[in-house]
Protein backbone atom coordinates (compact mmCIF):
# COMPACT_ATOMS: atom_id res chain seq x y z
CA UNK A 1 0.00 0.00 0.00
CA UNK A 2 2.81 2.37 0.93
CA UNK A 3 4.60 1.75 -2.39
CA UNK A 4 1.39 2.43 -4.31
CA UNK A 5 0.96 5.76 -2.55
CA UNK A 6 4.53 6.79 -3.33
CA UNK A 7 3.85 6.08 -7.02
CA UNK A 8 0.85 8.43 -6.92
CA UNK A 9 2.98 11.42 -5.85
CA UNK A 10 3.22 13.88 -8.78
CA UNK A 11 6.62 14.45 -10.37
CA UNK A 12 8.32 17.82 -9.95
CA UNK A 13 8.49 18.32 -13.73
CA UNK A 14 4.78 17.66 -14.20
CA UNK A 15 3.89 20.19 -11.48
CA UNK A 16 6.16 22.79 -13.06
CA UNK A 17 4.12 22.44 -16.28
CA UNK A 18 0.79 23.20 -14.58
CA UNK A 19 -0.77 26.60 -15.25
CA UNK A 20 -0.79 27.52 -11.54
CA UNK A 21 2.96 26.89 -11.17
CA UNK A 22 3.76 28.66 -14.44
CA UNK A 23 1.89 31.69 -13.10
CA UNK A 24 3.82 31.49 -9.81
CA UNK A 25 7.13 31.30 -11.70
CA UNK A 26 6.26 34.38 -13.76
CA UNK A 27 5.53 36.36 -10.58
CA UNK A 28 8.09 34.99 -8.12
CA UNK A 29 10.80 33.26 -10.12
CA UNK A 30 11.76 29.65 -10.82
CA UNK A 31 13.96 28.97 -7.80
CA UNK A 32 11.46 29.82 -5.07
CA UNK A 33 8.70 27.83 -6.81
CA UNK A 34 10.74 24.66 -7.28
CA UNK A 35 11.91 24.84 -3.65
CA UNK A 36 8.27 25.11 -2.54
CA UNK A 37 7.22 22.15 -4.73
CA UNK A 38 9.98 19.94 -3.34
CA UNK A 39 9.13 20.88 0.26
CA UNK A 40 5.43 20.12 -0.24
CA UNK A 41 6.20 16.77 -1.88
CA UNK A 42 8.54 15.93 0.99
CA UNK A 43 5.70 16.59 3.42
CA UNK A 44 3.51 14.09 1.56
CA UNK A 45 6.28 11.48 1.66
CA UNK A 46 6.69 12.07 5.39
CA UNK A 47 2.96 11.59 5.94
CA UNK A 48 3.02 8.28 4.06
CA UNK A 49 6.06 7.05 6.02
CA UNK A 50 4.38 7.93 9.31
CA UNK A 51 1.42 5.71 8.42
CA UNK A 52 -1.02 8.45 7.48
CA UNK A 53 -4.49 7.54 6.26
CA UNK A 54 -4.70 6.96 2.50
CA UNK A 55 -7.63 9.34 2.18
CA UNK A 56 -5.69 12.12 3.95
CA UNK A 57 -2.72 11.59 1.63
CA UNK A 58 -4.91 11.89 -1.46
CA UNK A 59 -6.53 15.07 -0.09
CA UNK A 60 -3.05 16.51 0.45
CA UNK A 61 -2.15 15.68 -3.14
CA UNK A 62 -5.34 17.29 -4.45
CA UNK A 63 -4.55 20.45 -2.48
CA UNK A 64 -0.97 20.67 -3.80
CA UNK A 65 -1.53 23.73 -6.05
CA UNK A 66 -2.94 25.75 -3.14
CA UNK A 67 -0.30 24.45 -0.71
CA UNK A 68 2.53 25.32 -3.12
CA UNK A 69 1.15 28.83 -3.58
CA UNK A 70 0.89 29.32 0.20
CA UNK A 71 4.45 28.14 0.67
CA UNK A 72 5.70 30.50 -2.03
CA UNK A 73 3.90 33.40 -0.38
CA UNK A 74 5.37 32.50 3.00
CA UNK A 75 8.87 32.49 1.51
CA UNK A 76 8.27 35.86 -0.14
CA UNK A 77 6.98 37.46 3.03
CA UNK A 78 9.34 39.81 4.87
CA UNK A 79 10.38 38.58 8.30
CA UNK A 80 10.05 42.07 9.75
CA UNK A 81 6.47 43.15 9.22
CA UNK A 82 3.94 45.78 10.09
CA UNK A 83 1.81 44.81 13.11
CA UNK A 84 -1.28 46.32 14.68
CA UNK A 85 -0.59 47.30 18.29
CA UNK A 86 -3.52 46.68 20.59
CA UNK A 87 -1.44 46.33 23.75
CA UNK A 88 -2.01 49.86 25.00
CA UNK A 89 1.74 50.42 25.38
CA UNK A 90 2.56 53.45 23.25
CA UNK A 91 6.36 53.07 23.21
CA UNK A 92 6.45 49.28 22.93
CA UNK A 93 10.14 48.36 22.63
CA UNK A 94 9.37 44.92 21.16
CA UNK A 95 7.10 46.50 18.53
CA UNK A 96 9.58 49.13 17.35
CA UNK A 97 8.87 51.93 19.83
CA UNK A 98 7.87 55.24 18.21
CA UNK A 99 5.95 54.92 14.92
CA UNK A 100 6.56 57.59 12.29
CA UNK A 101 3.74 59.40 10.50
CA UNK A 102 2.98 58.85 6.82
CA UNK A 103 4.16 62.39 6.08
CA UNK A 104 7.56 61.73 7.64
CA UNK A 105 7.86 58.40 5.83
CA UNK A 106 7.07 60.05 2.49
CA UNK A 107 9.94 62.46 3.04
CA UNK A 108 12.30 59.56 3.82
CA UNK A 109 11.10 57.75 0.67
CA UNK A 110 11.70 60.86 -1.43
CA UNK A 111 15.27 61.17 -0.13
CA UNK A 112 16.18 57.48 0.01
CA UNK A 113 14.90 56.62 -3.48
CA UNK A 114 17.70 58.64 -5.07
CA UNK A 115 20.86 60.53 -4.21
CA UNK A 116 20.91 63.19 -1.51
CA UNK A 117 23.16 65.88 -0.06
CA UNK A 118 23.77 63.79 3.07
CA UNK A 119 27.39 64.92 3.33
CA UNK A 120 27.51 67.60 0.66
CA UNK A 121 27.30 71.35 1.24
CA UNK A 122 25.16 72.66 -1.62
CA UNK A 123 26.09 76.27 -0.86
CA UNK A 124 29.87 75.72 -0.90
CA UNK A 125 29.94 72.87 -3.39
CA UNK A 126 32.12 70.73 -1.12
CA UNK A 127 31.97 67.95 1.45
CA UNK A 128 29.51 68.71 4.24
CA UNK A 129 28.41 67.19 7.54
CA UNK A 130 25.45 64.84 8.01
CA UNK A 131 24.56 66.54 11.32
CA UNK A 132 24.05 69.87 9.55
CA UNK A 133 20.58 68.85 8.39
CA UNK A 134 19.15 68.89 11.92
CA UNK A 135 21.79 70.52 14.15
CA UNK A 136 20.39 74.05 13.87
CA UNK A 137 16.89 72.70 14.60
CA UNK A 138 18.08 70.99 17.76
CA UNK A 139 19.94 74.10 18.88
CA UNK A 140 16.89 76.28 18.27
CA UNK A 141 14.56 73.91 20.12
CA UNK A 142 16.82 73.09 23.09
CA UNK A 143 18.91 76.24 23.48
CA UNK A 144 22.16 74.27 23.09
CA UNK A 145 25.20 75.59 21.21
CA UNK A 146 25.75 72.46 19.10
CA UNK A 147 24.29 69.05 18.42
CA UNK A 148 24.90 65.69 16.76
CA UNK A 149 23.44 62.18 16.77
CA UNK A 150 24.62 58.58 16.87
CA UNK A 151 22.74 55.31 16.46
CA UNK A 152 21.19 55.05 19.96
CA UNK A 153 21.37 56.57 23.42
CA UNK A 154 23.74 53.94 24.83
CA UNK A 155 26.12 54.84 22.01
CA UNK A 156 25.69 58.51 22.87
CA UNK A 157 26.67 57.86 26.51
CA UNK A 158 29.69 55.84 25.40
CA UNK A 159 30.85 58.51 22.94
CA UNK A 160 30.44 61.34 25.45
CA UNK A 161 32.39 59.53 28.16
CA UNK A 162 35.07 58.29 25.77
CA UNK A 163 35.57 61.85 24.55
CA UNK A 164 35.36 63.69 27.86
CA UNK A 165 36.44 61.17 30.52
CA UNK A 166 38.48 58.31 29.01
CA UNK A 167 41.24 57.36 31.48
CA UNK A 168 39.73 59.57 34.16
CA UNK A 169 36.87 59.36 36.65
CA UNK A 170 33.19 60.05 36.11
CA UNK A 171 31.34 60.70 39.36
CA UNK A 172 27.83 59.18 39.46
CA UNK A 173 25.27 58.66 42.22
CA UNK A 174 24.56 55.02 43.09
CA UNK A 175 20.86 55.80 42.79
CA UNK A 176 21.34 56.59 39.09
CA UNK A 177 23.18 53.45 37.97
CA UNK A 178 20.23 52.16 35.99
CA UNK A 179 19.71 49.12 33.82
CA UNK A 180 17.80 49.68 30.60
CA UNK A 181 16.20 47.15 28.22
CA UNK A 182 18.11 44.04 27.18
CA UNK A 183 20.22 44.08 30.40
CA UNK A 184 22.34 47.00 29.24
CA UNK A 185 23.62 48.78 32.32
CA UNK A 186 25.02 52.28 32.74
CA UNK A 187 28.09 51.01 34.68
CA UNK A 188 28.93 48.56 31.89
CA UNK A 189 28.50 51.19 29.16
CA UNK A 190 30.75 53.51 31.17
CA UNK A 191 33.38 50.81 31.52
CA UNK A 192 33.44 50.20 27.77
CA UNK A 193 33.93 53.93 27.19
CA UNK A 194 37.25 53.92 29.02
CA UNK A 195 35.99 56.11 31.85
CA UNK A 196 36.40 55.02 35.45
CA UNK A 197 33.15 54.90 37.39
CA UNK A 198 33.28 56.64 40.77
CA UNK A 199 30.12 55.74 42.71
CA UNK A 200 28.92 58.07 45.43
CA UNK A 201 26.06 58.26 47.91
CA UNK A 202 23.54 55.48 48.47
CA UNK A 203 20.66 54.04 46.47
CA UNK A 204 18.11 56.40 48.00
CA UNK A 205 20.22 59.39 49.12
CA UNK A 206 23.02 61.35 47.52
CA UNK A 207 24.07 64.81 48.74
CA UNK A 208 26.09 67.61 47.20
CA UNK A 209 28.92 66.93 49.64
CA UNK A 210 29.14 63.36 48.26
CA UNK A 211 30.09 64.81 44.86
CA UNK A 212 32.60 67.24 46.34
CA UNK A 213 34.21 64.63 48.59
CA UNK A 214 34.79 62.42 45.52
CA UNK A 215 36.57 65.09 43.47
CA UNK A 216 40.23 64.32 42.78
CA UNK A 217 42.75 65.37 40.16
CA UNK A 218 41.50 62.42 38.09
CA UNK A 219 37.90 63.64 38.01
CA UNK A 220 36.87 64.44 34.44
CA UNK A 221 33.07 64.80 34.63
CA UNK A 222 30.07 64.86 36.91
CA UNK A 223 27.48 62.56 35.41
CA UNK A 224 23.73 62.68 36.01
CA UNK A 225 21.43 59.90 34.79
CA UNK A 226 17.70 60.56 34.77
CA UNK A 227 15.97 57.44 36.13
CA UNK A 228 13.23 57.52 33.53
CA UNK A 229 12.40 53.81 33.84
CA UNK A 230 11.79 53.65 37.60
CA UNK A 231 11.05 55.81 40.64
CA UNK A 232 12.20 55.74 44.27
CA UNK A 233 9.75 57.18 46.80
CA UNK A 234 9.99 58.00 50.47
CA UNK A 235 13.25 58.79 52.27
CA UNK A 236 15.17 60.08 49.25
CA UNK A 237 17.56 62.84 48.25
CA UNK A 238 19.22 63.63 44.94
CA UNK A 239 21.29 66.54 43.64
CA UNK A 240 19.94 68.63 40.78
CA UNK A 241 21.94 69.94 37.84
CA UNK A 242 21.46 73.47 39.17
CA UNK A 243 23.00 72.49 42.52
CA UNK A 244 25.91 70.76 40.80
CA UNK A 245 26.84 73.91 38.87
CA UNK A 246 28.43 75.33 42.04
CA UNK A 247 30.95 72.46 41.97
CA UNK A 248 31.33 72.74 38.21
CA UNK A 249 32.41 76.36 38.55
CA UNK A 250 34.56 75.70 41.60
CA UNK A 251 36.54 72.79 40.11
CA UNK A 252 36.05 73.46 36.37
CA UNK A 253 34.52 70.00 35.88
CA UNK A 254 31.78 69.70 33.21
CA UNK A 255 28.37 68.17 33.88
CA UNK A 256 26.86 65.62 31.51
CA UNK A 257 23.32 64.29 31.78
CA UNK A 258 21.72 61.22 30.26
CA UNK A 259 18.04 62.16 30.05
CA UNK A 260 16.99 58.92 28.39
CA UNK A 261 13.46 59.69 27.20
CA UNK A 262 14.23 63.02 25.58
CA UNK A 263 11.18 65.17 26.30
CA UNK A 264 11.05 68.43 24.36
CA UNK A 265 7.59 69.57 25.53
CA UNK A 266 6.15 70.21 28.99
CA UNK A 267 3.79 67.25 29.31
CA UNK A 268 2.21 68.70 32.46
CA UNK A 269 0.06 70.83 30.15
CA UNK A 270 -1.62 67.62 29.06
CA UNK A 271 -2.29 66.22 32.52
CA UNK A 272 0.84 64.09 32.85
CA UNK A 273 3.50 64.04 35.53
CA UNK A 274 6.33 66.50 34.93
CA UNK A 275 9.23 64.94 33.08
CA UNK A 276 12.47 66.98 32.89
CA UNK A 277 12.87 68.49 29.44
CA UNK A 278 16.10 68.81 27.49
CA UNK A 279 15.64 72.58 27.53
CA UNK A 280 15.53 72.60 31.34
CA UNK A 281 18.69 70.56 31.58
CA UNK A 282 20.57 72.98 29.31
CA UNK A 283 19.17 76.03 31.12
CA UNK A 284 20.11 74.58 34.51
CA UNK A 285 23.77 74.25 33.54
CA UNK A 286 24.40 70.85 31.95
CA UNK A 287 27.31 71.04 29.50
CA UNK A 288 26.27 67.99 27.48
CA UNK A 289 22.90 66.23 27.39
CA UNK A 290 21.98 63.02 25.57
CA UNK A 291 18.61 61.36 24.96
CA UNK A 292 16.80 58.89 22.72
CA UNK A 293 15.24 59.79 19.39
CA UNK A 294 12.58 57.07 19.42
CA UNK A 295 11.03 57.56 22.85
CA UNK A 296 9.09 60.65 23.90
CA UNK A 297 10.66 62.67 21.11
CA UNK A 298 8.69 60.41 18.75
CA UNK A 299 11.30 60.00 16.03
CA UNK A 300 13.67 57.32 14.71
CA UNK A 301 16.12 55.30 16.79
CA UNK A 302 19.02 57.61 17.59
CA UNK A 303 21.14 58.89 20.43
CA UNK A 304 20.93 62.67 20.28
CA UNK A 305 23.67 64.77 21.88
CA UNK A 306 23.34 68.50 22.54
CA UNK A 307 25.44 70.92 24.54
CA UNK A 308 28.50 73.16 24.53
CA UNK A 309 30.12 73.51 21.12
CA UNK A 310 33.65 72.75 22.32
CA UNK A 311 32.60 69.33 23.62
CA UNK A 312 30.38 68.45 20.65
CA UNK A 313 33.20 69.38 18.26
CA UNK A 314 35.54 67.00 20.11
CA UNK A 315 32.99 64.20 19.79
CA UNK A 316 32.57 64.78 16.06
CA UNK A 317 36.32 64.22 15.66
CA UNK A 318 36.38 61.10 17.87
CA UNK A 319 37.17 57.94 15.86
CA UNK A 320 34.25 56.18 17.58
CA UNK A 321 31.85 58.57 15.87
CA UNK A 322 32.28 56.88 12.49
CA UNK A 323 31.42 53.49 14.00
CA UNK A 324 28.37 54.91 15.77
CA UNK A 325 27.09 57.37 13.17
CA UNK A 326 23.54 57.50 11.86
CA UNK A 327 22.58 56.72 8.25
CA UNK A 328 20.70 58.84 5.70
CA UNK A 329 17.31 57.41 6.71
CA UNK A 330 17.77 58.45 10.34
CA UNK A 331 19.16 61.87 9.43
CA UNK A 332 16.15 62.54 7.19
CA UNK A 333 13.65 61.26 9.77
CA UNK A 334 15.21 63.36 12.51
CA UNK A 335 15.01 66.54 10.47
CA UNK A 336 11.42 65.78 9.49
CA UNK A 337 10.27 65.09 13.07
CA UNK A 338 12.23 67.95 14.65
CA UNK A 339 10.65 70.46 12.27
CA UNK A 340 7.31 69.65 13.91
CA UNK A 341 8.65 70.96 17.24
CA UNK A 342 8.93 74.49 15.87
CA UNK A 343 5.21 74.71 16.73
CA UNK A 344 3.95 72.79 19.78
CA UNK A 345 0.42 72.37 18.41
CA UNK A 346 1.82 70.91 15.19
CA UNK A 347 4.05 68.51 17.12
CA UNK A 348 1.14 67.22 19.22
CA UNK A 349 -0.96 66.71 16.09
CA UNK A 350 1.61 65.24 13.69
CA UNK A 351 3.92 63.12 15.86
CA UNK A 352 2.09 59.81 16.50
CA UNK A 353 3.55 59.22 19.98
CA UNK A 354 2.52 62.66 21.22
CA UNK A 355 -0.88 62.37 19.55
CA UNK A 356 -1.58 59.04 21.28
CA UNK A 357 -0.39 60.33 24.66
CA UNK A 358 -2.60 63.44 24.48
CA UNK A 359 -5.57 61.90 22.65
CA UNK A 360 -8.81 62.67 24.56
CA UNK A 361 -10.54 59.67 26.11
CA UNK A 362 -13.69 60.47 24.14
CA UNK A 363 -11.89 59.85 20.83
CA UNK A 364 -10.56 56.52 22.12
CA UNK A 365 -14.07 55.51 23.20
CA UNK A 366 -15.46 56.40 19.78
CA UNK A 367 -12.86 54.18 18.08
CA UNK A 368 -13.64 51.33 20.48
CA UNK A 369 -17.36 51.59 19.74
CA UNK A 370 -16.68 51.61 16.00
CA UNK A 371 -14.60 48.43 16.14
CA UNK A 372 -17.01 46.74 18.54
CA UNK A 373 -20.06 47.50 16.36
CA UNK A 374 -18.24 46.33 13.23
CA UNK A 375 -17.30 43.04 14.88
CA UNK A 376 -20.82 42.48 16.28
CA UNK A 377 -22.34 43.05 12.83
CA UNK A 378 -20.39 40.03 11.51
CA UNK A 379 -21.97 37.75 14.16
CA UNK A 380 -18.71 36.00 14.96
CA UNK A 381 -18.95 33.16 17.51
CA UNK A 382 -17.59 35.32 20.31
CA UNK A 383 -18.65 37.54 23.18
CA UNK A 384 -17.62 41.05 22.12
CA UNK A 385 -17.90 44.25 24.15
CA UNK A 386 -16.07 47.43 25.10
CA UNK A 387 -14.17 47.59 28.37
CA UNK A 388 -12.41 50.38 30.25
CA UNK A 389 -8.66 49.90 30.68
CA UNK A 390 -5.42 51.77 31.27
CA UNK A 391 -2.75 52.45 28.66
CA UNK A 392 0.89 53.07 29.46
CA UNK A 393 3.59 55.10 27.77
CA UNK A 394 6.31 52.43 28.04
CA UNK A 395 9.81 52.40 26.57
CA UNK A 396 11.26 53.20 29.99
CA UNK A 397 9.44 56.56 29.98
CA UNK A 398 7.14 57.86 32.73
CA UNK A 399 6.91 54.46 34.46
CA UNK A 400 4.21 55.52 36.93
CA UNK A 401 2.04 57.20 34.32
CA UNK A 402 -1.14 55.49 33.15
CA UNK A 403 -3.70 56.85 30.72
CA UNK A 404 -7.43 56.14 30.83
CA UNK A 405 -8.41 54.17 27.77
CA UNK A 406 -11.01 51.88 26.23
CA UNK A 407 -10.49 48.40 24.82
CA UNK A 408 -12.54 46.01 22.72
CA UNK A 409 -12.87 42.72 24.58
CA UNK A 410 -13.20 39.53 22.53
CA UNK A 411 -13.95 36.15 24.12
CA UNK A 412 -14.09 33.41 21.43
CA UNK A 413 -16.74 30.76 22.10
CA UNK A 414 -15.40 27.85 20.02
CA UNK A 415 -11.64 28.10 20.58
CA UNK A 416 -9.41 29.09 23.47
CA UNK A 417 -8.35 32.70 23.93
CA UNK A 418 -4.70 31.60 23.67
CA UNK A 419 -5.33 29.97 20.26
CA UNK A 420 -7.25 33.07 19.16
CA UNK A 421 -4.31 35.29 20.16
CA UNK A 422 -1.90 32.98 18.29
CA UNK A 423 -4.01 33.09 15.14
CA UNK A 424 -4.09 36.89 15.29
CA UNK A 425 -0.29 36.91 15.48
CA UNK A 426 -0.21 34.82 12.28
CA UNK A 427 -2.46 37.10 10.22
CA UNK A 428 -0.95 38.75 7.10
CA UNK A 429 -0.82 41.90 9.26
CA UNK A 430 -0.28 40.44 12.74
CA UNK A 431 -2.38 41.82 15.59
CA UNK A 432 -0.89 42.01 19.08
CA UNK A 433 -3.08 42.56 22.11
CA UNK A 434 -3.21 41.28 25.66
CA UNK A 435 -5.13 38.45 27.37
CA UNK A 436 -6.90 39.36 30.60
CA UNK A 437 -9.09 36.82 32.40
CA UNK A 438 -9.69 34.74 29.25
CA UNK A 439 -10.61 37.82 27.22
CA UNK A 440 -8.52 39.20 24.39
CA UNK A 441 -8.23 42.97 24.70
CA UNK A 442 -7.43 45.48 21.95
CA UNK A 443 -6.60 48.83 23.54
CA UNK A 444 -7.84 51.45 21.09
CA UNK A 445 -5.39 54.13 22.19
CA UNK A 446 -2.63 52.34 20.30
CA UNK A 447 -4.66 50.42 17.69
CA UNK A 448 -4.54 51.96 14.20
CA UNK A 449 -8.14 53.10 13.71
CA UNK A 450 -7.71 53.38 9.94
CA UNK A 451 -7.21 49.59 9.85
CA UNK A 452 -10.51 48.59 11.50
CA UNK A 453 -12.21 47.49 8.26
CA UNK A 454 -9.11 45.62 7.03
CA UNK A 455 -8.76 43.92 10.43
CA UNK A 456 -12.36 42.65 10.45
CA UNK A 457 -12.10 41.48 6.83
CA UNK A 458 -8.92 39.59 7.72
CA UNK A 459 -10.75 37.82 10.56
CA UNK A 460 -13.38 36.64 8.08
CA UNK A 461 -11.01 35.68 5.29
CA UNK A 462 -8.74 33.65 7.56
CA UNK A 463 -11.59 31.97 9.51
CA UNK A 464 -10.01 32.98 12.81
CA UNK A 465 -12.91 31.80 15.00
CA UNK A 466 -13.36 28.31 13.46
CA UNK A 467 -12.42 25.19 15.42
CA UNK A 468 -10.87 23.45 12.41
CA UNK A 469 -10.00 25.76 9.56
Amino acid sequence: MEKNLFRKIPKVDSLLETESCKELISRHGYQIVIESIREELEQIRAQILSGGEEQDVFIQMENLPVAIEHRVMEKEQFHIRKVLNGTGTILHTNLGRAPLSTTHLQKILEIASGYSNLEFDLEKGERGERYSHFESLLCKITGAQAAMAVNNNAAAVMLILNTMASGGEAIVSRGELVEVGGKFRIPDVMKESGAILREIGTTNKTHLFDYEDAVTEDTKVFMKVHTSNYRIFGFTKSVSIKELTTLKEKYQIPIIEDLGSGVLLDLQKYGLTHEPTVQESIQNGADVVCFSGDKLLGGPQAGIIVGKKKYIDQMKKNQLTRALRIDKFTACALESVLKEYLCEETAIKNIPVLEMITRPLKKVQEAAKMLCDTLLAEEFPAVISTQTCMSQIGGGSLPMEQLESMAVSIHPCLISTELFAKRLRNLPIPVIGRVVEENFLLDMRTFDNTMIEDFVNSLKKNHIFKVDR
Side-chain angles (χ1 to χ4, degrees):
M1 179 65 70
E2 186 178 289
K3 288 183 179 179
N4 289 334
L5 285 175
F6 275 119
R7 292 193 187 101
K8 297 287 184 180
I9 297 175
K11 302 294 183 184
V12 173
D13 290 343
S14 63
L15 287 170
L16 285 171
E17 290 301 315
T18 61
E19 287 303 315
S20 61
C21 282
K22 284 181 179 179
E23 175 64 22
L24 286 173
I25 290 170
S26 69
R27 285 189 282 125
H28 304 283
Y30 174 81
Q31 192 59 40
I32 194 171
V33 174
I34 196 167
E35 282 179 8
S36 299
I37 291 172
R38 286 169 177 161
E39 287 167 9
E40 286 299 324
L41 295 181
E42 190 57 40
Q43 273 202 350
I44 294 174
R45 293 188 188 97
Q47 187 174 351
I48 295 170
L49 288 171
S50 65
E53 293 290 332
E54 183 176 344
Q55 184 179 357
D56 293 337
V57 174
F58 279 118
I59 290 173
Q60 198 169 351
M61 290 183 193
E62 288 174 9
N63 291 333
L64 262 175
V66 174
I68 291 167
E69 183 177 4
H70 283 170
R71 191 172 286 271
V72 169
M73 299 309 294
E74 284 178 5
K75 287 178 180 291
E76 286 280 82
Q77 196 171 60
F78 277 87
H79 198 269
I80 185 167
R81 296 152 64 189
K82 173 179 179 174
V83 304
L84 294 178
N85 178 11
T87 67
T89 301
I90 295 170
L91 291 169
H92 200 304
T93 300
N94 298 342
L95 301 183
R97 284 195 188 156
L100 297 178
S101 73
T102 304
T103 303
H104 300 149
L105 290 174
Q106 285 173 344
K107 187 63 180 175
I108 296 170
L109 177 62
E110 177 189 332
I111 299 300
S113 60
Y115 296 105
S116 67
N117 62 326
L118 178 66
E119 286 191 352
F120 188 79
D121 189 320
L122 294 172
E123 184 67 29
K124 297 178 181 178
E126 60 188 35
R127 186 184 179 101
E129 193 177 72
R130 64 183 61 203
Y131 313 115
S132 65
H133 305 292
F134 53 82
E135 183 172 16
S136 61
L137 280 169
L138 277 168
C139 292
K140 185 173 184 177
I141 294 164
T142 66
Q145 294 177 0
M148 64 179 296
V150 288
N151 54 30
N152 63 27
N153 197 45
V157 172
M158 181 179 291
L159 179 62
I160 292 167
L161 288 170
N162 182 263
T163 303
M164 299 175 65
S166 182
E169 293 184 347
I171 298 175
V172 191
S173 167
R174 286 187 174 89
E176 298 175 4
L177 296 176
V178 301
E179 177 181 303
V180 295
K183 297 183 180 177
F184 289 96
R185 298 174 172 179
I186 287 292
D188 296 336
V189 173
M190 292 180 70
K191 181 181 176 182
E192 293 298 324
S193 74
I196 300 166
L197 169 63
R198 183 72 183 274
E199 300 178 35
I200 60 168
T202 63
T203 303
N204 62 321
K205 279 204 169 192
T206 299
H207 303 269
L208 187 61
F209 64 75
D210 289 317
Y211 285 91
E212 185 159 23
D213 289 347
V215 173
T216 69
E217 60 182 14
D218 294 323
T219 304
K220 298 292 186 181
V221 295
F222 295 119
M223 183 171 179
K224 289 284 295 175
V225 181
H226 176 52
T227 56
S228 57
N229 59 357
Y230 77 96
R231 292 285 186 273
I232 297 177
F233 296 96
F235 194 56
T236 64
K237 168 65 180 173
S238 61
V239 178
S240 69
I241 295 282
K242 192 172 287 188
E243 291 174 283
L244 259 184
T245 55
T246 59
L247 297 184
K248 177 180 87 167
E249 293 165 2
K250 182 176 180 179
Y251 296 103
Q252 295 300 297
I253 297 172
I255 300 170
I256 62 178
E257 181 168 32
D258 172 10
L259 269 183
S261 297
V263 187
L264 296 177
L265 300 178
D266 182 5
L267 296 178
Q268 276 188 302
K269 295 180 184 178
Y270 306 96
L272 302 178
T273 306
H274 177 70
E275 181 79 352
T277 65
V278 178
Q279 294 92 321
E280 289 170 350
S281 186
I282 294 293
Q283 290 166 7
N284 289 335
D287 296 282
V288 175
V289 181
C290 64
F291 50 97
S292 294
D294 60 346
K295 290 189 178 182
L296 289 174
L297 186 140
Q301 177 181 298
I304 300 171
I305 307 170
V306 299
K308 297 284 178 61
K309 188 177 188 304
K310 67 176 181 178
Y311 298 122
I312 302 295
D313 284 348
Q314 290 170 18
M315 289 174 220
K316 289 177 179 177
K317 294 173 184 176
N318 190 316
Q319 292 300 308
L320 266 180
T321 298
R322 187 169 183 84
L324 303 174
R325 71 181 182 177
I326 57 172
D327 63 9
K328 60 185 176 183
F329 307 106
T330 305
C332 181
L334 272 178
E335 181 185 13
S336 183
V337 171
L338 287 169
K339 278 184 177 293
E340 307 287 5
Y341 281 95
L342 296 176
C343 173
E344 183 169 323
E345 291 75 18
T346 302
I348 292 295
K349 178 183 176 182
N350 295 339
I351 297 175
V353 165
L354 298 180
E355 191 281 324
M356 282 186 274
I357 289 173
T358 61
R359 187 183 300 166
L361 178 60
K362 185 178 179 182
K363 287 187 68 174
V364 181
Q365 291 170 333
E366 289 171 355
K369 185 178 185 304
M370 184 187 300
L371 175 57
C372 184
D373 290 347
T374 307
L375 288 168
L376 288 171
E378 297 297 334
E379 298 184 348
F380 291 123
V383 178
I384 301 168
S385 63
T386 57
Q387 180 178 316
T388 59
C389 64
M390 302 299 288
S391 302
Q392 62 180 359
I393 293 172
S397 305
L398 296 167
M400 306 304 294
E401 201 71 54
Q402 290 194 312
L403 306 169
E404 285 187 272
S405 191
M406 180 73 73
V408 173
S409 171
I410 304 171
H411 180 79
C413 298
L414 304 179
I415 59 175
S416 70
T417 309
E418 288 73 20
L419 178 57
F420 178 69
K422 182 179 180 180
R423 287 180 176 179
L424 290 184
R425 293 195 302 271
N426 289 318
L427 286 173
I429 300 179
V431 178
I432 315 296
R434 62 181 190 262
V435 176
V436 179
E437 297 179 352
E438 296 304 311
N439 295 315
F440 184 85
L441 301 185
L442 287 172
D443 189 322
M444 297 307 290
R445 186 173 289 279
T446 55
F447 192 87
D448 185 349
N449 302 335
T450 65
M451 295 293 291
I452 286 176
E453 186 177 342
D454 290 337
F455 168 59
V456 175
N457 287 337
S458 189
L459 294 181
K460 289 191 293 183
K461 183 178 179 181
N462 292 278
H463 310 293
I464 294 298
F465 291 95
K466 286 191 174 182
V467 176
D468 185 13
R469 46 175 194 160

